[in-house]
Amino acid sequence: MFELLKTDSESKARLGRLTTPHGIVQTPVFMPVGTQASVKALDPRELRETGTQIILGNTYHLNIRPGIEIIRQAGGLHRFMNWDGPILTDSGGFQVFSLSKIRKIKPHGVEFRSHLDGSLLFLGPREAMEIQRALGSDIAMVFDDCPPHTSTARELHAAVERTIRWAGECRQQPRGVGQVVFGIVQGGANAALRESCAKALVALNFDGYAIGGVSVGEPEHEMMKAVEITEPFLPSNQPRYAMGLGTPAQMIELIARGIDMFDCVLPTRVARNGTAFTRKGTIIIKSAVYKADFSPIEQGCDCFACRHFTKAYLRHLLNVEEILALRMLSVHNTHMFLKVMEDTRNAIGSGNFGEFRREFIANYRPSRRVLLARAAVAER
Amino acid sequence: MFELLKTDSESKARLGRLTTPHGIVQTPVFMPVGTQASVKALDPRELRETGTQIILGNTYHLNIRPGIEIIRQAGGLHRFMNWDGPILTDSGGFQVFSLSKIRKIKPHGVEFRSHLDGSLLFLGPREAMEIQRALGSDIAMVFDDCPPHTSTARELHAAVERTIRWAGECRQQPRGVGQVVFGIVQGGANAALRESCAKALVALNFDGYAIGGVSVGEPEHEMMKAVEITEPFLPSNQPRYAMGLGTPAQMIELIARGIDMFDCVLPTRVARNGTAFTRKGTIIIKSAVYKADFSPIEQGCDCFACRHFTKAYLRHLLNVEEILALRMLSVHNTHMFLKVMEDTRNAIGSGNFGEFRREFIANYRPSRRVLLARAAVAER
């Protein structure tokens, strides 16, 4: 399923190739998030044009609306949403623990109230795998216990214990044709817990491994640490996925730490607030400085938005609340994330990753506002 | 500028060709409305794909935001919004009389408060023509006095007198290169007033004539009557435009009464409420009957939405408030209006308009809800 093509000489950056029933994915890869069977504001043609290789779907949300029976009748998620490329589905574990205020953890899953209408629902390893089988995703994720970054040592320990046990139950469930399953390592910033969780999951022999419990509101250095203390225990011949991350600069730093796959709502979420990503950091298109700026969002960018529209026009559209503004910023930001990944792959391939990384990080100025937007997790 | 190619044998339906600096327009034509320099939810590529020949822009709205100086610096409205096809701009008369609660009619225009921030503005024949010259529209409209359909005979009379006088002033203003100007006939449902207004405007020798004061909340029979009592006084060798109209069935009936051009916010406005136009009338996509309906909005429709998505999927997207739903319904509805016009042109061309009209009207079931949406005029 995964082929490791090359490893960087001066970092842990890797070039790889994931083969799925719906096509090949070049790694490192960024996966746009289609929580509710739509990558917000984009259509499948635009996804292709931005360079999207694989998208994310979500068990928790799709199970509530439209309900799994509808998607089953449609012939699976690919056909329901008319995306014929690979899809990875999250298991719903993260959402059960972050969206449901009222929940009761039971031995084989979680009883919780729908965030939508308060109805009583249950999701556990068996249910999550069954739903993902019905969705027909190419990559399914195990159902995990994802505790907040403020958890006590005792809570973290219990979450890891439960995550491992549930992973074992997920491992026993039937899968869709060609569907592979990734384990999710928990353990917060605790090195011993991360190690034991990773080892236990690897013993279960999954097709890939995710690092969970990141992007849950923790500071950046803690997120980097969580990855650094986990990565050494993941098999080098299988893909590694950092869940819910990150900014372009963070992704490059995580690639340098051996990560292959990313997903994040940032590009489409901040687009809807009028923020655009560039190689120098984010810019606020509504800002008065762009009032009569008839240049594209970013010089040299060949996305649909930059080929057709100016900042002055997009600023106007944002001011008058036209949908086209949200669309075009979503197109640009998604394209930007995917282009950074493409450039990263080329840099690793040609042996220039170190230089590429230094230059990118030197040019990219992180924005506190955008980092905070990442922490707003409800949409994932 | 206008070539009358054919007139129907059993009705007043006409086939024509409008030549503008930005291309040729086949008539009868429906013009999607881009009030604020964007046809809501659509991009220029989608406009082309739906069969759009010419779009509308709006003097009143664009003058307030982004302001005419920005559009002038951009090199005109075409370049500002990146639409290289023909544009017709409304003069702002309709908006001054419908959107501004506080206004003072003066000899050479109207002093009014911006509906946005209450600032004091002035728009008259000179200003409206100057703004439209800066916008660089292919077709400019005169600045008229558009009274509500509840006006007294005295008010109507004054509005017609003013409309004629202001039309004369507009006629004297300089124009953009290749820009043509249409007069607007007012007079409500009063035959004598419509006749005298039409004759006075024709004496001023405009390039085309619009029937205004329709689509202002009046019942349909009154709207039809306003067109019937005006049309005989309009030159047959020039284009006739019914402003702010209408549903597909209404457009066909108006074409039978000699109208060549239409504009209406209906297709994109009702799309954003989840309503789709079909040859049988409108359908409410959110309806539970479409929950597991995996057929397109309309069988046989070749728009992007119908080629890619099912009603069940679009219903889901509406339920979870995804932007893609509004986009795809806007694509479908706009395409539907334009396809009806294309079919109408073909029917006139092949001498089958009478049969086409009877069949269309027999199949199309008007919706009261949609007719009321047309009366909500703020967006135009």
Side-chain angles (χ1 to χ4, degrees), chain B residues 295-350:
Chain B
S295 68
I297 299 172
E298 184 158 32
Q299 287 292 0
C301 175
D302 65 348
C303 81
F304 185 91
C306 286
R307 281 187 287 115
H308 292 90
F309 304 114
T310 65
K311 287 199 274 295
Y313 179 61
L314 295 172
R315 176 179 183 273
H316 162 67
L317 293 184
L318 285 166
N319 279 336
V320 297
E321 294 177 358
E322 286 284 354
I323 288 171
L324 187 57
L326 316 182
R327 290 182 52 186
M328 290 302 114
L329 266 67
S330 297
V331 163
H332 171 81
N333 285 351
T334 302
H335 176 272
M336 191 275 180
F337 272 54
L338 293 163
K339 187 68 171 61
V340 167
M341 289 295 103
E342 188 189 330
D343 291 351
T344 303
R345 290 193 299 272
N346 290 339
I348 301 171
S350 61

Side-chain angles (χ1 to χ4, degrees), chain A residues 2-7 14-17 26-27:
Chain A
F2 182 72
E3 239 180 303
L4 182 60
L5 302 175
K6 187 174 179 179
T7 302
R14 300 139 51 95
L15 198 65
R17 182 161 49 209
Q26 309 289 344
T27 64

Side-chain angles (χ1 to χ4, degrees), chain A residues 91-141:
Chain A
S91 62
F94 180 83
Q95 285 71 30
V96 164
F97 287 92
S98 62
L99 290 181
S100 308
K101 299 276 175 286
I102 306 159
R103 60 173 177 269
K104 197 188 266 181
I105 301 179
K106 304 211 162 184
H108 299 289
V110 185
E111 194 179 83
F112 61 99
R113 299 260 168 208
S114 156
H115 73 288
L116 188 69
D117 61 5
S119 62
L120 197 64
L121 299 168
F122 186 87
L123 214 51
R126 178 186 295 268
E127 293 75 17
M129 295 310 288
E130 188 190 333
I131 293 167
Q132 292 180 89
R133 199 162 67 244
L135 293 173
S137 55
D138 299 82
I139 303 171
M141 302 302 298

Side-chain angles (χ1 to χ4, degrees), chain B residues 192-212:
Chain B
L193 276 179
R194 286 278 179 187
E195 177 179 346
S196 69
C197 189
K199 284 180 170 168
L201 293 177
V202 171
L204 287 168
N205 194 22
F206 285 102
D207 304 292
Y209 298 89
I211 299 176

Side-chain angles (χ1 to χ4, degrees), chain A residues 36-46 49 62 65-66 70 73-74 80-82 272 291-292 294 304 307-310 312-313 316-317 319-320 322-324 326-328, chain B residues 36-46 49 62 65-66 70 73-74 80-82 272 291-292 294 304 307-310 312-313 316-317 319-320 322-324 326-328:
Chain A
Q36 306 186 115
S38 170
V39 176
K40 288 192 190 300
L42 303 181
D43 71 33
R45 169 169 64 178
E46 289 165 338
E49 289 173 352
L62 294 172
R65 291 185 299 190
I70 297 293
Q73 283 179 46
F80 181 62
M81 68 184 292
N82 195 26
R272 299 197 304 282
K291 199 173 165 179
F294 301 107
F304 186 91
R307 280 187 289 115
H308 291 90
F309 304 114
T310 64
Y313 179 61
H316 162 67
L317 293 183
N319 279 337
V320 297
E322 287 285 353
I323 289 171
L324 187 57
L326 316 182
R327 290 182 52 186
M328 290 303 113
Chain B
Q36 304 186 118
S38 171
V39 176
K40 288 191 190 300
L42 304 181
D43 71 32
R45 169 168 64 177
E46 289 164 337
E49 288 174 352
L62 294 172
R65 290 186 298 190
I70 297 294
Q73 283 180 46
F80 181 61
M81 67 184 294
N82 195 24
R272 298 196 305 280
K291 199 173 165 179
F294 301 109
F304 185 91
R307 281 187 287 115
H308 292 90
F309 304 114
T310 65
Y313 179 61
H316 162 67
L317 293 184
N319 279 336
V320 297
E322 286 284 354
I323 288 171
L324 187 57
L326 316 182
R327 290 182 52 186
M328 290 302 114

Side-chain angles (χ1 to χ4, degrees), chain A residues 17-321:
Chain A
R17 182 161 49 209
L18 252 170
T19 302
T20 80
H22 289 86
I24 285 169
V25 175
Q26 309 289 344
T27 64
V29 64
F30 172 75
M31 306 182 280
V33 179
T35 306
Q36 306 186 115
S38 170
V39 176
K40 288 192 190 300
L42 303 181
D43 71 33
R45 169 169 64 178
E46 289 165 338
L47 283 174
R48 287 291 181 197
E49 289 173 352
T50 54
T52 302
Q53 301 186 74
I54 172 172
I55 62 168
L56 224 76
N58 191 283
T59 296
Y60 174 94
H61 289 283
L62 294 172
N63 187 43
I64 292 178
R65 291 185 299 190
I68 226 59
E69 199 37 54
I70 297 293
I71 295 183
R72 209 191 296 268
Q73 283 179 46
L77 183 56
H78 292 86
R79 290 187 60 187
F80 181 62
M81 68 184 292
N82 195 26
W83 168 254
D84 62 4
I87 299 178
L88 179 149
T89 44
D90 200 356
S91 62
F94 180 83
Q95 285 71 30
V96 164
F97 287 92
S98 62
L99 290 181
S100 308
K101 299 276 175 286
I102 306 159
R103 60 173 177 269
K104 197 188 266 181
I105 301 179
K106 304 211 162 184
H108 299 289
V110 185
E111 194 179 83
F112 61 99
R113 299 260 168 208
S114 156
H115 73 288
L116 188 69
D117 61 5
S119 62
L120 197 64
L121 299 168
F122 186 87
L123 214 51
R126 178 186 295 268
E127 293 75 17
M129 295 310 288
E130 188 190 333
I131 293 167
Q132 292 180 89
R133 199 162 67 244
L135 293 173
S137 55
D138 299 82
I139 303 171
M141 302 302 298
V142 299
F143 187 80
D144 60 330
D145 181 340
C146 183
H149 83 105
T150 49
S151 304
T152 62
R154 178 188 292 267
E155 286 166 341
L156 260 188
H157 200 278
V160 164
E161 185 276 329
R162 210 175 279 121
T163 290
I164 294 169
R165 189 159 42 79
W166 286 349
E169 294 181 33
C170 287
R171 194 69 189 76
Q172 304 307 315
Q173 301 303 312
R175 303 172 175 192
V177 179
Q179 190 175 50
V180 299
V181 181
F182 283 16
I184 304 178
V185 182
Q186 292 291 349
N190 183 316
L193 276 178
R194 286 277 178 188
E195 176 179 347
S196 68
C197 188
K199 284 180 170 168
L201 293 176
V202 171
L204 287 168
N205 194 20
F206 285 102
D207 304 292
Y209 298 90
I211 299 175
V214 286
S215 188
V216 291
E218 79 282 11
E220 186 177 284
H221 68 89
E222 204 174 296
M223 177 263 282
M224 290 291 170
K225 188 189 159 198
V227 170
E228 288 165 10
I229 60 183
T230 308
E231 182 274 335
F233 306 102
L234 302 179
S236 64
N237 62 344
Q238 287 182 296
R240 297 98 169 257
Y241 163 26
M243 301 187 82
L245 296 173
T247 66
Q250 286 174 338
M251 290 194 294
I252 288 175
E253 284 306 310
L254 291 166
I255 288 167
R257 287 161 174 80
I259 299 299
D260 308 303
M261 302 169 70
F262 305 92
D263 79 283
C264 195
V265 296
L266 265 189
T268 47
R269 174 176 295 161
V270 306
R272 299 197 304 282
N273 298 329
T275 300
F277 279 95
T278 78
R279 298 292 170 122
K280 293 180 180 165
T282 48
I283 60 175
I284 297 165
I285 298 292
K286 254 194 173 181
S287 162
V289 300
Y290 302 125
K291 199 173 165 179
D293 185 330
F294 301 107
S295 68
I297 299 171
E298 184 158 33
Q299 287 293 0
C301 174
D302 65 348
C303 82
F304 186 91
C306 286
R307 280 187 289 115
H308 291 90
F309 304 114
T310 64
K311 288 199 275 295
Y313 179 61
L314 296 171
R315 176 179 183 273
H316 162 67
L317 293 183
L318 286 166
N319 279 337
V320 297
E321 293 175 0

Side-chain angles (χ1 to χ4, degrees), chain B residues 25-186:
Chain B
V25 176
Q26 310 288 344
T27 65
V29 64
F30 172 75
M31 305 182 280
V33 179
T35 306
Q36 304 186 118
S38 171
V39 176
K40 288 191 190 300
L42 304 181
D43 71 32
R45 169 168 64 177
E46 289 164 337
L47 283 173
R48 287 292 181 197
E49 288 174 352
T50 56
T52 302
Q53 301 186 73
I54 171 172
I55 62 169
L56 224 76
N58 191 283
T59 297
Y60 174 94
H61 290 282
L62 294 172
N63 187 43
I64 291 177
R65 290 186 298 190
I68 227 57
E69 198 39 52
I70 297 294
I71 296 183
R72 208 193 296 267
Q73 283 180 46
L77 182 56
H78 292 86
R79 290 188 60 186
F80 181 61
M81 67 184 294
N82 195 24
W83 168 255
D84 61 4
I87 299 177
L88 179 150
T89 44
D90 199 357
S91 63
F94 180 83
Q95 284 71 29
V96 164
F97 286 92
S98 62
L99 290 183
S100 308
K101 300 276 174 285
I102 306 158
R103 61 175 175 268
K104 199 186 262 180
I105 302 178
K106 305 211 162 182
H108 300 289
V110 185
E111 194 179 83
F112 61 98
R113 298 258 168 210
S114 156
H115 72 288
L116 187 71
D117 62 5
S119 62
L120 197 64
L121 299 167
F122 186 87
L123 214 50
R126 177 186 296 267
E127 293 76 17
M129 295 310 289
E130 188 189 332
I131 293 167
Q132 292 180 89
R133 200 162 66 244
L135 293 173
S137 55
D138 299 82
I139 304 173
M141 302 301 298
V142 297
F143 187 80
D144 60 331
D145 181 340
C146 183
H149 83 106
T150 49
S151 303
T152 63
R154 178 188 292 266
E155 285 166 342
L156 261 187
H157 200 278
V160 165
E161 184 275 330
R162 211 174 278 122
T163 290
I164 295 169
R165 188 157 44 77
W166 286 349
E169 292 181 35
C170 287
R171 193 72 188 76
Q172 303 308 314
Q173 301 303 314
R175 303 172 176 193
V177 178
Q179 190 176 49
V180 298
V181 181
F182 283 16
I184 304 178
V185 181
Q186 293 290 350

